Amino acid sequence: MLELRSYVGGRWIAGTGAPQTLLNPTTEEPLAQASSEGIDLHAALQYARSSGGPALRALSFAERGAALKAIADAIQSEREALLDLGIANGGNTRSDAKFDVDGAIATLLSYSELAASMGQGKFLIDGEGIQLGRSARFHGQHIAVPRHGVAVHINAFNFPAWGFAEKAAVALLAGMPVLSKPATSSAMVAHRIMELITERKVLPEGALSFLVGSVRDLLSHLGGQDVLAFTGSGETGAQIRSSPNVIRHSVRVNVEADSLNAAVLGPEVEPRSDMYELFLKDVVRDMTQKAGQKCTAIRRVLVPQEWYSSVKQDLAELLGAIRIGDPKSEDVRMGPLASGAQLADVREGIERLGGKRAYSTTAHLPTRGFFHSPVLLEDASDAVHEREVFGPVATLLRYKDNPAEIVTRGAGGLVSSVYSDDQEFIERMVSALAPYHGRLFLGHPKVELSPGPGTVLPQLVHGGPGRAGGGEELGGPRGLAFYMQRVALEGSRPVIAKLLGK
Amino acid sequence: MLELRSYVGGRWIAGTGAPQTLLNPTTEEPLAQASSEGIDLHAALQYARSSGGPALRALSFAERGAALKAIADAIQSEREALLDLGIANGGNTRSDAKFDVDGAIATLLSYSELAASMGQGKFLIDGEGIQLGRSARFHGQHIAVPRHGVAVHINAFNFPAWGFAEKAAVALLAGMPVLSKPATSSAMVAHRIMELITERKVLPEGALSFLVGSVRDLLSHLGGQDVLAFTGSGETGAQIRSSPNVIRHSVRVNVEADSLNAAVLGPEVEPRSDMYELFLKDVVRDMTQKAGQKCTAIRRVLVPQEWYSSVKQDLAELLGAIRIGDPKSEDVRMGPLASGAQLADVREGIERLGGKRAYSTTAHLPTRGFFHSPVLLEDASDAVHEREVFGPVATLLRYKDNPAEIVTRGAGGLVSSVYSDDQEFIERMVSALAPYHGRLFLGHPKVELSPGPGTVLPQLVHGGPGRAGGGEELGGPRGLAFYMQRVALEGSRPVIAKLLGK
């Protein structure tokens, strides 16, 4: 069986001890094994800090951007093989796998373009110079410089390619070396990408390390110049945040966690209108794409009392037409969940939400593999505002006057969406929902090829307050701040001007 | 004896139970008592959220700025009485008390001016609009809106006026209601300021609450829209960060903690030069102003081997001329430490640093009160890079080639300073030190009225990575981000344009 290895200290190394087995979630057949036992994580971090850091900092933004382009090219060169791996190891349909792999390429290219616009500098000038005293000689200027540590990235199982790329692109552009750890169960795509990167030698030695298997005691080796970005469950996020070493050294932590993303249908939107159809389409896509395993997927579907039965009936009809099965088949629209653990978690979550099933099916579900029917719930318990069921599951909710009051019971999310053409309603929703979200998607049928709220674009921030973890990634240049130290230079204006090459 | 009260829920309320006694640290006489026992903190926060929040958000930036101006005016109107309170309750010399009170006024006025420039908006536009698709209709725009919670401010004992003002100014301007808690031992100045603010009714009800005494279970009532800014010891900062409720709700926390600020004399700076004299002056000021109780004070004095004896001798001479005693006396340059606990902590810290005393005195120290001699240490242990002694204590360190290597052993600080006219040396220091600091002060004798590295200016960020807590405050408009939620609006360009009033 294929043995996945880690790439640390400038070489590929296999773990020892009992490995974890990676399965094909469609067939439950084992595909590969991985272990991080025996790998010296302290040395791995130190190598990244001492080799990768200085090498990256010696490059200009434009040069770092060229490296990102080269990573995108490497992925592009084996796109078909990576899609096949996503289908096999992730239970992805081909469309799901494209969403992941093409998303990775697009994000890398977006940051590569941003880098080109940032030019030959190696650090950022932050704002205008500031006169501090009565005389112009006493001067201040903020700059942002790369931190001298390692950016540790702990990624979620659902986007092995994109998750790797969206974090790594930003850190590398900022000038920080990365140690990237994919979720083990679906690590084959990220592992192959890492092989491509090392084969092509597109990065300086130490700029990118890769760890498969358990994180073990990784967190206990982090220091005050390191940062950690985590995507996954709120529970694990809390464990990371409360880790004594992370607290002692004020390690910067970014968490993207649970999110009960809501979609609100405006009160004026009549059935069969273009806006109504867009709303249905986005809900169904978010429930079924990647079998609902997207942190941005719509979980709560808020519908005006008046159109409730209509929406329920239409969604049930659309969901009934989704073909579920082996994701290798071209006519299959939804594959299995990514692992047996996820399947168990989804089942437990549906129990927890309670209520009734407005739609679900047992017909045509394969008997092997981690398959689950799409489930549209209604009359659920209050747990619908607390428990993210990470699968093809959403809950219908009626509202009368104030949908925002219902949405904000989710206590902070990554994205919510509003489907309305009533400007007054949109304004009221944005005003009430903005403090609770990292992104608000305003659905409009006139936006062609709209990706819907579930797609994260590199130009916009991705993260959310409260339950969503309080993090923020991407957002074009905004994402760089996490990997840099802002520092105020204070002193004589000519001295500072010379320092900045002016 | 005076009983300090809290202002919560729109009224003044005294605590019950055993109070803490506030002393005059010069005479050890009791001045006042304070307790937070029996105060319903949950209700206090809820009142701020439900009354203060909406009222502040209904104001424009310019209107919030006018309120800050009114607070500054209120402080100015009783400046003399506040200085007297600082002298009595803080052990401040009149100059120390001015540093605190005038610093508060200046910071409020600085943010009031910034507010005027921000105009009639109620939220921030963050960057340019972004075309997201092939067609210009698919559009993105980031904005920043006030969070819907309370900003809890836990301040340090050393700057009761400035500490209150620098945090409150930024939060109120951002549109968040504040609950401010001064350190109990020196709370009289902040308490009087709060009385002035409530007497003059310069803020909407609920916009500013005030808690004296212990924080008790305050943290357990915070939610995902609340934020907490703390200034104090790293140990307490770690306790706050690891509080289960703070972690569970991803409460945003800003910590300003320990910092082993270094001052580096350039290798080319000869004794008796203007640069040299400036260096000595700044070191002596930081050791003695507020009896060294400034989080930005120079703790490590890095001197080239060649000038070591000269600097040691000159500093000892200057320190010997500092008159210590009752801070009410006009010729006294340094008063006592703020409390018996601080005195014990300083004594313990000096023991911990070890080494020898290049300067200290027992002459003329009053026998009552919490007085301590200025102490210049040399040949100290490695603890000098770990243990902040929060008093009139600094340590001399020799360097040969690479002072930055010594400075960064402090593992993250608020500010370090470089005194040199050698541009190549300055560049090398800035490049090596920037990632480890929130501010770098470049000393230059041609900057008239230079405040030295120990003064925090509202226009520049204040905070530092690693040991310093990883926080960031002030920095003009930069400080607002902590109190606001950034959200990406994504959708149809005309809809977003109308939302933003374009």
Side-chain angles (χ1 to χ4, degrees):
Chain A
M1 202 179 333
L2 179 67
E3 184 180 45
L4 304 189
R5 290 172 304 162
S6 294
Y7 187 84
V8 296
R11 64 196 182 91
W12 286 100
I13 179 168
T16 57
Q20 198 173 327
T21 301
L22 289 70
L23 303 181
N24 179 327
T26 305
T27 63
E28 303 186 37
E29 284 165 344
L31 296 175
Q33 292 190 319
S35 166
S36 61
E37 289 295 318
I39 294 175
D40 184 340
L41 298 177
H42 179 76
L45 292 169
Q46 199 47 41
Y47 181 78
R49 288 185 200 109
S50 60
S51 299
L56 276 170
R57 295 196 294 272
L59 301 179
S60 67
F61 288 114
E63 288 166 330
R64 296 174 203 157
L68 298 184
K69 170 77 164 58
I71 298 176
D73 290 345
I75 297 175
Q76 182 71 49
S77 74
E78 291 235 3
R79 177 169 176 270
E80 287 301 322
L82 290 167
L83 297 182
D84 287 343
L85 277 179
I87 293 167
N89 183 211
N92 294 346
T93 64
R94 190 173 158 84
S95 167
D96 290 343
K98 282 198 236 175
F99 190 57
D100 182 31
V101 172
D102 293 348
I105 294 170
T107 301
L108 287 159
L109 291 178
S110 175
Y111 274 93
S112 165
E113 281 166 31
L114 174 64
S117 76
M118 293 166 76
Q120 296 307 313
K122 293 173 184 179
F123 59 87
L124 292 174
I125 304 288
D126 176 350
E128 302 289 312
I130 305 158
Q131 181 171 328
L132 296 172
R134 298 232 167 110
S135 129
R137 187 178 271 273
F138 187 30
H139 190 73
Q141 173 69 55
H142 293 88
I143 62 173
V145 300
R147 303 193 122 215
H148 280 194
V150 189
V152 171
H153 292 165
I154 302 180
N155 289 313
F157 70 86
N158 52 342
F159 287 103
W162 177 82
F164 156 75
E166 61 102 18
K167 285 187 169 62
V170 184
L172 293 171
L173 177 54
M176 274 194 91
V178 170
L179 185 150
S180 187
K181 198 208 92 63
T184 310
S185 68
S186 63
M188 291 177 74
V189 172
H191 184 265
R192 182 65 195 130
I193 289 173
M194 190 66 197
E195 285 182 341
L196 294 169
I197 292 170
T198 56
E199 282 164 17
R200 295 187 170 215
K201 299 187 191 300
V202 298
L203 286 168
E205 268 311 328
L208 183 60
S209 307
F210 183 79
L211 181 70
V212 288
S214 155
V215 292
R216 291 178 33 237
D217 62 344
L218 184 66
L219 269 59
S220 69
H221 300 294
L222 297 181
Q225 288 285 307
D226 300 320
V227 308
L228 190 152
F230 164 77
T231 299
S233 75
E235 202 178 326
T236 307
Q239 278 170 23
I240 290 172
R241 276 236 179 77
S242 54
S243 142
N245 191 59
V246 165
I247 286 174
R248 182 161 59 245
H249 296 297
S250 307
V251 176
R252 268 193 200 169
V253 174
N254 195 83
V255 172
E256 308 288 345
D258 306 348
S259 182
L260 298 153
N261 316 296
V264 180
L265 184 67
E268 90 294 355
V269 182
E270 299 199 12
R272 305 285 79 80
S273 65
D274 289 349
M275 185 69 84
Y276 181 89
E277 299 295 338
L278 176 68
F279 173 76
L280 297 181
K281 184 179 149 201
D282 283 357
V283 170
V284 171
R285 174 171 42 202
D286 268 11
M287 287 182 68
T288 56
Q289 187 176 44
K290 306 237 1 154
Q293 297 165 113
K294 292 188 308 193
C295 52
T296 50
I298 296 165
R299 305 291 176 199
R300 297 179 295 162
V301 184
L302 274 72
V303 179
Q305 174 77 43
E306 190 179 1
W307 310 128
Y308 184 83
S309 324
S310 164
V311 168
K312 173 174 154 182
Q313 192 176 328
D314 291 335
L315 285 177
E317 194 173 312
L318 290 165
L319 290 168
I322 299 286
R323 177 146 177 171
I324 304 160
D326 186 336
K328 277 210 305 284
S329 306
E330 290 217 353
D331 55 349
V332 160
R333 292 268 303 281
M334 193 177 108
L337 293 164
S339 67
Q342 285 305 312
L343 179 60
D345 189 64
V346 164
R347 285 177 176 154
E348 191 275 332
I350 291 172
E351 283 300 309
R352 173 83 195 288
L353 297 193
K356 295 179 305 193
R357 296 188 177 206
Y359 174 82
S360 77
T361 179
T362 51
H364 315 300
L365 285 192
T367 49
R368 291 194 68 181
F370 309 125
F371 290 91
H372 199 284
S373 164
V375 175
L376 185 66
L377 293 170
E378 63 177 338
D379 301 331
S381 75
D382 280 352
V384 72
H385 306 298
E386 292 170 11
R387 174 65 155 88
E388 182 189 33
V389 182
F390 209 69
V393 181
T395 302
L396 271 174
L397 293 156
R398 298 171 182 78
Y399 76 85
K400 274 175 81 174
D401 304 316
N402 190 0
E405 187 275 323
I406 301 172
V407 175
T408 56
R409 290 169 71 188
L414 298 172
V415 56
S416 282
S417 47
V418 179
Y419 296 79
S420 168
D421 230 342
D422 175 344
Q423 191 77 20
E424 189 275 328
F425 179 76
I426 297 173
E427 274 180 32
R428 192 150 59 86
M429 288 303 103
V430 167
S431 170
L433 299 182
Y436 295 87
H437 292 86
R439 183 161 55 92
L440 291 176
F441 179 87
L442 309 173
H444 203 289
K446 288 203 180 138
V447 174
E448 285 164 42
L449 300 175
S450 165
T455 296
V456 174
L457 299 173
Q459 301 96 324
L460 304 181
V461 292
H462 172 54
R467 189 189 309 281
E472 188 183 74
E473 294 182 336
L474 298 172
R478 294 167 185 80
L480 298 177
F482 180 67
Y483 299 100
M484 305 185 89
Q485 175 64 35
R486 175 149 58 190
V487 59
L489 303 179
E490 178 184 8
S492 155
R493 183 177 177 136
V495 172
I496 291 173
K498 250 188 269 175
L499 261 175
L500 304 179
K502 285 180 184 166
Chain B
M1 201 181 330
L2 179 67
E3 182 178 47
L4 303 189
R5 291 173 304 163
S6 294
Y7 187 84
V8 296
R11 65 197 181 92
W12 286 100
I13 178 168
T16 57
Q20 198 174 327
T21 301
L22 288 69
L23 304 181
N24 179 326
T26 304
T27 62
E28 303 186 37
E29 285 166 344
L31 296 174
Q33 291 190 321
S35 166
S36 62
E37 288 295 316
I39 294 175
D40 184 339
L41 298 177
H42 179 77
L45 292 170
Q46 199 45 41
Y47 181 80
R49 288 186 201 111
S50 60
S51 298
L56 275 169
R57 295 196 295 272
L59 302 179
S60 67
F61 288 115
E63 288 167 330
R64 296 174 203 157
L68 299 184
K69 170 78 163 59
I71 298 175
D73 291 346
I75 297 174
Q76 183 69 50
S77 73
E78 290 235 3
R79 179 171 175 271
E80 286 301 322
L82 289 168
L83 298 181
D84 288 343
L85 277 179
I87 292 166
N89 183 210
N92 293 347
T93 64
R94 189 172 159 84
S95 167
D96 290 342
K98 281 198 236 175
F99 190 57
D100 182 31
V101 172
D102 292 348
I105 295 169
T107 301
L108 286 159
L109 291 179
S110 175
Y111 274 93
S112 164
E113 280 166 31
L114 174 63
S117 76
M118 293 166 74
Q120 296 306 312
K122 293 173 184 177
F123 59 89
L124 292 175
I125 304 289
D126 176 349
E128 302 290 313
I130 304 158
Q131 181 172 329
L132 296 173
R134 300 236 165 106
S135 129
R137 186 177 272 272
F138 187 29
H139 190 73
Q141 173 69 56
H142 293 89
I143 61 173
V145 301
R147 303 193 122 215
H148 280 193
V150 189
V152 171
H153 291 165
I154 302 179
N155 288 314
F157 71 85
N158 53 341
F159 287 104
W162 176 81
F164 156 75
E166 61 102 18
K167 284 187 170 63
V170 184
L172 293 171
L173 176 55
M176 272 194 93
V178 169
L179 185 149
S180 187
K181 198 207 93 63
T184 311
S185 67
S186 63
M188 291 177 75
V189 172
H191 185 265
R192 182 65 194 129
I193 289 174
M194 190 65 199
E195 285 182 340
L196 294 169
I197 292 170
T198 56
E199 282 163 16
R200 293 184 172 218
K201 298 186 192 299
V202 298
L203 285 169
E205 268 309 332
L208 182 60
S209 307
F210 182 79
L211 181 70
V212 288
S214 155
V215 292
R216 291 177 33 236
D217 62 344
L218 183 66
L219 269 59
S220 69
H221 300 296
L222 297 181
Q225 288 284 307
D226 300 321
V227 307
L228 190 152
F230 164 76
T231 299
S233 75
E235 200 177 328
T236 307
Q239 277 170 23
I240 289 172
R241 276 238 179 79
S242 54
S243 141
N245 191 58
V246 164
I247 286 174
R248 184 162 55 245
H249 296 296
S250 308
V251 176
R252 268 193 200 168
V253 174
N254 194 82
V255 172
E256 307 287 344
D258 305 348
S259 183
L260 298 153
N261 316 297
V264 180
L265 184 68
E268 90 292 356
V269 182
E270 298 199 11
R272 303 286 81 78
S273 65
D274 289 350
M275 185 69 83
Y276 181 89
E277 298 296 338
L278 176 68
F279 173 77
L280 296 181
K281 183 178 149 203
D282 282 358
V283 171
V284 170
R285 173 171 44 200
D286 268 13
M287 287 183 67
T288 56
Q289 187 177 45
K290 307 233 9 150
Q293 297 166 114
K294 291 189 310 194
C295 51
T296 50
I298 296 164
R299 306 289 176 202
R300 297 178 295 163
V301 183
L302 274 72
V303 180
Q305 174 75 43
E306 190 179 359
W307 310 128
Y308 185 83
S309 326
S310 164
V311 167
K312 174 175 155 180
Q313 191 177 327
D314 291 335
L315 284 177
E317 192 174 311
L318 290 165
L319 290 168
I322 298 287
R323 176 144 180 175
I324 302 160
D326 186 335
K328 278 209 304 284
S329 306
E330 291 216 356
D331 56 350
V332 160
R333 291 267 304 281
M334 192 177 108
L337 292 165
S339 67
Q342 286 305 313
L343 179 60
D345 189 64
V346 164
R347 286 177 176 154
E348 190 275 332
I350 291 171
E351 283 300 311
R352 173 81 196 287
L353 296 194
K356 296 180 303 192
R357 296 187 178 208
Y359 174 82
S360 77
T361 179
T362 51
H364 315 299
L365 284 191
T367 50
R368 291 195 67 180
F370 308 125
F371 290 92
H372 199 285
S373 164
V375 174
L376 185 67
L377 292 170
E378 62 177 340
D379 301 331
S381 76
D382 279 352
V384 72
H385 305 297
E386 291 169 12
R387 175 64 155 88
E388 183 189 34
V389 182
F390 209 69
V393 181
T395 302
L396 271 174
L397 294 155
R398 296 169 183 82
Y399 76 84
K400 275 176 80 172
D401 305 314
N402 191 1
E405 188 276 322
I406 301 173
V407 175
T408 56
R409 290 169 69 187
L414 298 172
V415 57
S416 281
S417 47
V418 180
Y419 296 79
S420 168
D421 230 343
D422 174 344
Q423 190 77 19
E424 189 275 328
F425 180 76
I426 297 174
E427 274 180 32
R428 193 152 57 88
M429 288 302 104
V430 168
S431 170
L433 299 181
Y436 295 87
H437 292 86
R439 183 160 54 94
L440 291 176
F441 179 87
L442 309 172
H444 202 290
K446 287 202 179 138
V447 174
E448 286 164 42
L449 301 173
S450 166
T455 295
V456 175
L457 299 174
Q459 301 95 325
L460 303 181
V461 293
H462 171 53
R467 189 188 309 283
E472 188 183 74
E473 294 182 335
L474 298 171
R478 293 168 187 80
L480 298 177
F482 180 67
Y483 299 101
M484 305 185 88
Q485 174 65 35
R486 173 147 62 188
V487 60
L489 303 179
E490 178 184 7
S492 155
R493 184 178 175 137
V495 171
I496 291 173
K498 251 188 267 175
L499 262 175
L500 304 179
K502 285 181 186 165

